[in-house]
Amino acid sequence: MMPRPSIERVLVLGYGAIGDLIFLLPALAALRQGLPKARITFLANRHPGSEELIPNTGLVDEVWFDDSKLLRRILSASFDAVIASQATPFRPFVLKLLGIPIRIGHCRPLRAPNDGWSPLRYAFWRFKRAMISDEFERRWVFNKKVLVAEDLEHAVSRNLRLVEALGLPIPKASECRPALPVPETAVRFAKQLLPDTREKTIGLHIGSPQSQYAKIWPPEKWAEVCRLLSQSYRLRLALIGGPEEAGLVPRFKSCYREPFTDLVGKSNLLESFSLIQRCDLFLSNDTGMSKAAMALDVPTATVWGPSDRPGYGIVWNPSRHTEIFLPLPCSPCVRMGLRAEGSNVINFANCGHHACLETLPPRSVFEAVQKRYGGILQ
């Protein structure tokens, strides 16, 4: 471990969706514990994760949002170090960070993914990958580069290594489940919407129709899973999600004829956390809410398609969670926001079939849930 210089002000580039931020929390906790007197500034885009989650964790001193005065603010703050995760779009910040003495961030290995490639093909692949991932800018700006492991390292471990690059001790990824903020007002709110009952409560997060990586299992298939569960167990079903996810609810309603509680768009992020806490089981696609349920230690069943299970899946208390997917040769085809490369691999953007999700039978998902969680649903 390198000797650590005196660090009084740290800037953390925290762009990313809710799941990205949840997986960043252990690194923020290690940073706060290792530098208890330092002032930590969190720079992010505006969304519920940065506006509600991060300020209520107590792990940062202030949250900044990008605006026309950002360069002046960064220069006047005299930061000693900046940390940027792989989830951060980096190109807009290049010139704004050069004056900070310690600049730490993720970079990608640039070795060819397959043996036997021609020099021309390898050069093209390397250039394309670097352009998509801001790799040229990252390698130019960061004077402490944290290489992303090629063995599909989990995002929590990958983020913790950013803090380790400062010379600070870090825990094991599996041992640092974060405490999501759930204020008492959110607890009371959730009890009103989901009052105590003898029935088991299943939460369902369908996801947004604007999913970036086409990773949303059709709501009609979720409806069939819930129908099979309601026939087998005495359940209360609650749909949970933000206003942007309401677009898929009518499709679910058109196929699910049993009574259920529609809470989509009726809670803010912290209230949604409290709603999840009241669930005996949480069903979801690969979304930020599934990561929240894992952090809250609520049993989960997550349906996976093109996205990266080893990098963004189960990390804490694996006995409480299960992942459901079809073992297709082309899935998962998303690797940390990039299209996968290689022979017989079709990327998520142009495969034309999305067989990983479209051909996953609802009965298979039901049977996987029943096998794993039938005992707690009795």
Side-chain angles (χ1 to χ4, degrees), residues 220 223 249-257 260:
E220 295 84 359
V249 175
R251 290 171 55 184
F252 178 88
K253 287 182 177 180
S254 68
C255 298
Y256 187 73
R257 304 301 184 182
F260 71 95

Side-chain angles (χ1 to χ4, degrees), residues 40-366:
I40 300 174
T41 299
F42 194 84
L43 174 60
N45 51 334
R46 288 189 177 274
H47 63 85
S50 56
E51 294 180 318
E52 298 180 51
L53 170 59
I54 296 297
N56 285 282
T57 62
L59 299 176
V60 305
D61 297 286
E62 56 186 350
V63 177
W64 287 2
F65 299 103
D66 198 355
D67 56 30
S68 59
K69 299 179 181 179
L70 182 61
L71 177 57
R72 185 183 307 170
R73 296 176 74 186
I74 290 177
L75 292 175
S76 63
S78 299
F79 289 108
D80 300 302
V82 60
I83 293 175
S85 75
Q86 188 66 43
T88 303
F90 189 71
R91 195 164 289 153
F93 301 102
V94 170
L95 298 179
K96 299 179 176 70
L97 305 179
L98 287 174
I100 299 176
I102 302 174
R103 303 183 298 276
I104 300 173
H106 287 133
C107 292
R108 296 178 182 275
L110 293 178
R111 293 190 293 274
N114 291 314
D115 295 333
W117 280 18
S118 69
L120 181 61
R121 184 183 182 190
Y122 170 52
F124 175 73
W125 170 85
R126 182 172 178 173
F127 178 79
K128 184 178 75 167
R129 189 176 193 188
M131 287 296 294
I132 295 173
S133 62
D134 303 337
E135 191 62 34
F136 295 128
E137 293 89 343
R138 287 175 171 270
R139 287 178 175 266
W140 176 46
V141 171
F142 296 143
N143 51 24
K144 296 184 183 298
K145 301 172 180 62
V146 177
L147 291 181
V148 174
E150 291 188 313
D151 59 350
L152 302 183
E153 177 184 27
H154 198 279
V156 173
S157 176
R158 187 166 65 237
N159 291 332
L160 284 168
R161 289 196 292 115
L162 293 171
V163 177
E164 187 178 39
L166 273 175
L168 301 175
I170 59 172
K172 293 181 179 179
S174 59
E175 298 174 354
C176 55
R177 181 167 59 88
L180 299 188
V182 183
E184 184 57 35
T185 53
V187 173
R188 292 196 297 268
F189 171 87
K191 285 183 177 180
Q192 290 178 349
L193 270 64
L194 290 177
D196 293 336
T197 177
R198 292 183 178 180
E199 299 171 316
K200 298 295 183 179
T201 299
I202 290 185
L204 171 62
H205 182 246
I206 298 175
S208 169
Q210 287 80 41
S211 169
Q212 183 179 3
Y213 298 125
K215 59 184 181 180
I216 302 303
W217 201 41
E220 295 84 359
K221 297 194 175 189
W222 276 120
E224 177 62 12
V225 172
C226 293
R227 185 187 69 81
L228 292 170
L229 287 169
S230 67
Q231 290 178 346
S232 303
Y233 305 98
R234 187 181 178 189
L235 301 173
R236 173 176 63 180
L237 175 65
L239 265 60
I240 298 172
E244 70 282 0
E245 294 154 347
L248 293 179
V249 175
R251 290 171 55 184
F252 178 88
K253 287 182 177 180
S254 68
C255 298
Y256 187 73
R257 304 301 184 182
E258 302 296 326
F260 71 95
T261 304
D262 182 6
L263 303 178
V264 176
K266 298 181 180 179
S267 59
N268 63 32
L269 183 59
L270 303 191
E271 290 168 344
S272 295
F273 292 166
S274 189
L275 290 172
I276 292 172
Q277 279 187 320
R278 295 190 63 76
C279 296
D280 297 285
L281 174 64
F282 193 71
L283 309 177
S284 180
N285 300 292
D286 169 32
T287 67
M289 290 295 98
S290 70
K291 278 59 173 174
M294 285 193 289
L296 294 165
D297 204 29
V298 174
T300 65
T302 304
V303 167
W304 290 80
S307 46
D308 180 6
R309 296 185 305 276
Y312 294 91
I314 299 170
V315 60
W316 306 299
N317 201 355
S319 65
R320 303 270 287 175
H321 312 288
T322 190
E323 297 174 338
I324 305 169
F325 58 93
L326 288 177
L328 302 181
C330 59
S331 178
C333 62
V334 173
R335 289 286 183 259
M336 297 175 55
L338 290 179
R339 304 172 187 180
E341 306 282 352
S343 60
N344 301 318
V345 175
I346 305 173
N347 71 68
F348 71 95
N350 69 1
C351 74
H353 56 76
H354 299 300
C356 56
L357 291 174
E358 292 296 336
T359 62
L360 177 63
R363 180 161 288 277
S364 294
V365 175
F366 162 71

